[in-house]
Amino acid sequence: PFEDWGQVGYTKPLESFIGSLATGEIVWNYKDPFDNTLHIRTSVIHIRHSIDDVQLEMREHHRRFNDGSIEYRHDWKSSISEKMRIKETPLDAAIRGLSEKLGHAEHGFNDQRNYSLQLMRSEKVGPQPTRSYPPFEAIYYRQIFLCVIQEKLFKSEYILVDPFKTTCFGWVEL
């Protein structure tokens, strides 16, 4: 199945998998031939902003992959998520995620004075099938953060372009 990765549906390329193993973003006991479970530590960030008395939360709306397929994220329950690297704390990953994912769209996300960030809770999810790397399953160890942004960071839409896809973010009313 590896030869289809990055070519079919929402799968990521094999190079992405190898890179994630190298950085520690994904942990897999490859020495056990019966272990198909990936262990993934993530920082999940809920990005919020208020306009008058209306609470808004940023959500990933969709991803357009280079093959033309589109993945709509109506079930996505958070703004962004970032895999933690070797020796990285959940807070480090959250700050890196804000900078990498939204710093390209709005440079103010590269400056921590423009937002507040607070750890809310931890949760374990899975094992569950992973769409990025079938036929693996994944157990996610999530650290959930709340990020409140200042007015100068607010835009109605954020668009992020990377080598594999274009990701569009918008806002929903809470």
Side-chain angles (χ1 to χ4, degrees):
F2 304 118
E3 62 274 359
D4 291 337
W5 284 6
Q7 309 290 323
V8 178
Y10 309 123
T11 62
K12 292 183 178 178
L14 180 58
E15 296 81 15
S16 176
F17 180 70
I18 293 168
S20 291
L21 287 171
T23 61
E25 291 179 341
I26 293 176
V27 177
W28 173 43
N29 182 9
Y30 60 88
K31 293 180 181 177
D32 180 350
F34 301 106
D35 185 2
N36 75 330
T37 303
L38 306 176
H39 298 268
I40 303 171
R41 299 178 314 132
T42 63
S43 289
V44 176
I45 306 121
H46 295 272
I47 301 171
R48 295 193 180 158
H49 182 69
S50 295
I51 298 177
D52 298 323
D53 290 332
V54 179
Q55 281 283 326
L56 302 172
E57 185 167 281
M58 182 188 293
R59 298 279 170 84
E60 183 179 332
H61 182 261
H62 69 275
R63 298 175 178 181
R64 181 181 307 273
F65 294 87
N66 292 346
D67 69 359
S69 63
I70 298 175
E71 177 185 20
Y72 290 96
R73 306 287 282 206
H74 300 295
D75 62 337
W76 198 242
K77 304 286 189 239
S78 66
S79 302
I80 64 173
S81 178
E82 191 64 37
K83 292 182 194 92
M84 293 170 54
R85 296 178 179 163
I86 295 172
K87 296 184 180 180
E88 193 172 47
T89 69
L91 181 61
D92 292 338
I95 291 169
R96 180 174 53 81
L98 287 167
S99 178
E100 285 181 5
K101 294 216 166 99
L102 299 172
H104 301 292
E106 175 56 57
H107 295 291
F109 278 101
N110 295 323
D111 185 345
Q112 295 175 42
R113 294 174 295 188
N114 294 327
Y115 58 84
S116 65
L117 191 60
Q118 177 182 358
L119 178 63
M120 303 301 288
R121 68 181 185 282
S122 301
E123 65 185 19
K124 178 181 171 184
V125 178
Q128 62 189 35
T130 172
R131 295 192 318 180
S132 297
Y133 305 114
F136 286 101
E137 292 185 325
I139 297 175
Y140 296 91
Y141 305 90
R142 297 178 176 166
Q143 307 300 312
I144 313 298
F145 287 86
L146 174 63
C147 175
V148 178
I149 66 169
Q150 293 182 9
E151 180 67 32
K152 67 184 191 175
L153 292 184
F154 180 79
K155 292 179 9 179
S156 61
E157 180 180 73
Y158 298 85
I159 298 174
L160 173 64
V161 178
D162 71 33
F164 306 109
K165 65 189 175 302
T166 299
T167 306
C168 296
F169 298 89
W171 298 90
V172 296
E173 189 173 326
L174 297 179

